[in-house]
Amino acid sequence: MPLPGLDLARNVLRLGLAAGLRVAAAESCTGGLIAAALTETPGSSAVFERGFVTYSNEAKTELLGVPAATLAAHGAVSEQTARAMAEGALAHSRADAAVAVTGIAGPDGGSAEKPVGLVHFAAARRDRTTRHAVHTFPGNREEVRAAAAETALTLLCGMLEEK
Amino acid sequence: MPLPGLDLARNVLRLGLAAGLRVAAAESCTGGLIAAALTETPGSSAVFERGFVTYSNEAKTELLGVPAATLAAHGAVSEQTARAMAEGALAHSRADAAVAVTGIAGPDGGSAEKPVGLVHFAAARRDRTTRHAVHTFPGNREEVRAAAAETALTLLCGMLEEK
């Protein structure tokens, strides 16, 4: 699989440099792909501050401060958890903007209510309103992860472009 | 670039499942590639517990507990920092084994003493002796990062195989 989102990652770095903003990523189903794309470009350390790969629920709570009650009430794959992850990434980093991804990459783990391919996103920025998005991506695990990484980077660009 | 180390990642998952051990990754220059490889395989959540992409020095200190004095005395790219990152990843996770990578992927940031391609590794496991390795990889940024991810996954396999 090629590393997805490299063009979008370069855009994040360009926008971050122009605005003097640093970014963080909080990843569940993308598992590091967003951070890997952001750090592939030389000079990325000026914009990418840190990344959290919070695969387990305990990691989401311990590293990002996602309330255990939120995970219990809404599940790891939910708007509420995505928002808490993005805002937690800001609270637990030096970054000015953060993106979070939590979804079901498959092939297992899907249900009628939450099918394979369902991914929730949130993008947060200090002193701004957090944005949420949800998609259901077609394809296999690799394709869902790649589409999720690209969507997250696009959301992060939008957050950095906000006036 | 294809995602490097997928075969090695599958080996980590196989060994972790067989031994009932979970793993964590603490990445600087690989920037999420190790976590991305480990999470590409279905079912990886049974073995991969969390990942830290500690790109800034502050992230190394705040997320992994790398002493600021260690960073100041030896630099971020050093045996001492690699060891502190791996042991810090164990201390700040539920994982049983952890691998850490810190290096100079280039094209900038090299010096006579620490050239581009220099990468320090450490692998830690609860109640075992932490191992260190150092390599100087040829090639461009992409090639150095890929080689570093593959070397880290190999070290992690060795740590899981330890009797």
Side-chain angles (χ1 to χ4, degrees):
Chain A
M1 182 190 74
L3 196 56
L6 287 181
D7 286 345
L8 292 163
R10 277 189 281 269
N11 216 20
V12 167
L13 300 179
R14 187 179 57 75
L15 291 167
L17 272 180
L21 298 173
R22 290 197 295 174
V23 305
E27 309 185 55
S28 189
C29 68
T30 49
L33 286 176
I34 296 169
L38 285 170
T39 57
E40 184 75 0
T41 300
S44 53
S45 59
V47 173
F48 182 71
E49 207 267 324
R50 71 185 70 179
F52 307 84
V53 186
T54 53
Y55 226 53
S56 65
N57 278 353
E58 289 87 353
K60 292 177 183 71
T61 298
E62 293 168 4
L63 296 183
L64 300 171
V66 176
T70 298
L71 292 164
H74 305 286
V77 180
S78 63
E79 173 176 350
Q80 291 84 351
T81 295
R83 286 180 177 274
M85 287 172 67
E87 292 171 2
L90 277 192
H92 294 83
S93 76
R94 310 288 182 112
D96 306 286
V99 69
V101 183
T102 179
I104 300 164
D108 303 318
S111 65
E113 195 197 349
K114 295 184 178 182
V116 168
L118 176 71
V119 184
H120 283 275
F121 300 87
R125 184 170 154 188
R126 297 196 190 279
D127 306 319
R128 305 294 173 100
T129 304
T130 300
R131 302 181 188 186
H132 165 258
V134 59
H135 291 262
T136 304
F137 299 111
N140 62 22
R141 179 179 180 88
E142 184 180 323
E143 291 163 334
V144 169
R145 279 164 44 100
E150 288 168 355
T151 301
L153 289 164
T154 303
L155 281 172
L156 191 53
C157 286
M159 209 44 147
L160 293 173
E161 286 177 311
E162 220 181 62
K163 293 302 169 198
Chain B
M1 183 191 74
L3 197 54
L6 287 180
D7 287 344
L8 292 163
R10 277 189 281 271
N11 216 20
V12 168
L13 300 178
R14 187 180 58 74
L15 292 167
L17 273 180
L21 299 173
R22 290 198 293 173
V23 304
E27 308 184 55
S28 189
C29 68
T30 49
L33 286 175
I34 296 168
L38 286 169
T39 58
E40 184 74 2
T41 300
S44 53
S45 59
V47 173
F48 182 71
E49 206 267 324
R50 71 186 68 180
F52 306 85
V53 186
T54 53
Y55 226 53
S56 65
N57 278 353
E58 289 87 352
K60 293 178 182 71
T61 298
E62 293 168 5
L63 295 183
L64 300 171
V66 177
T70 298
L71 292 164
H74 305 286
V77 179
S78 63
E79 172 176 351
Q80 292 85 350
T81 295
R83 286 179 177 274
M85 288 173 67
E87 292 171 1
L90 277 193
H92 294 83
S93 76
R94 310 286 184 112
D96 306 287
V99 69
V101 183
T102 180
I104 301 164
D108 303 317
S111 65
E113 196 196 351
K114 296 185 178 182
V116 167
L118 176 71
V119 184
H120 283 274
F121 301 86
R125 185 171 154 186
R126 297 194 190 280
D127 306 319
R128 304 294 174 98
T129 303
T130 300
R131 302 182 189 186
H132 165 257
V134 59
H135 291 264
T136 305
F137 298 111
N140 62 21
R141 179 179 181 88
E142 184 180 324
E143 292 163 334
V144 168
R145 279 164 44 101
E150 289 168 355
T151 301
L153 289 164
T154 303
L155 281 172
L156 191 52
C157 286
M159 210 43 147
L160 294 173
E161 285 176 314
E162 221 180 65
K163 293 302 168 198

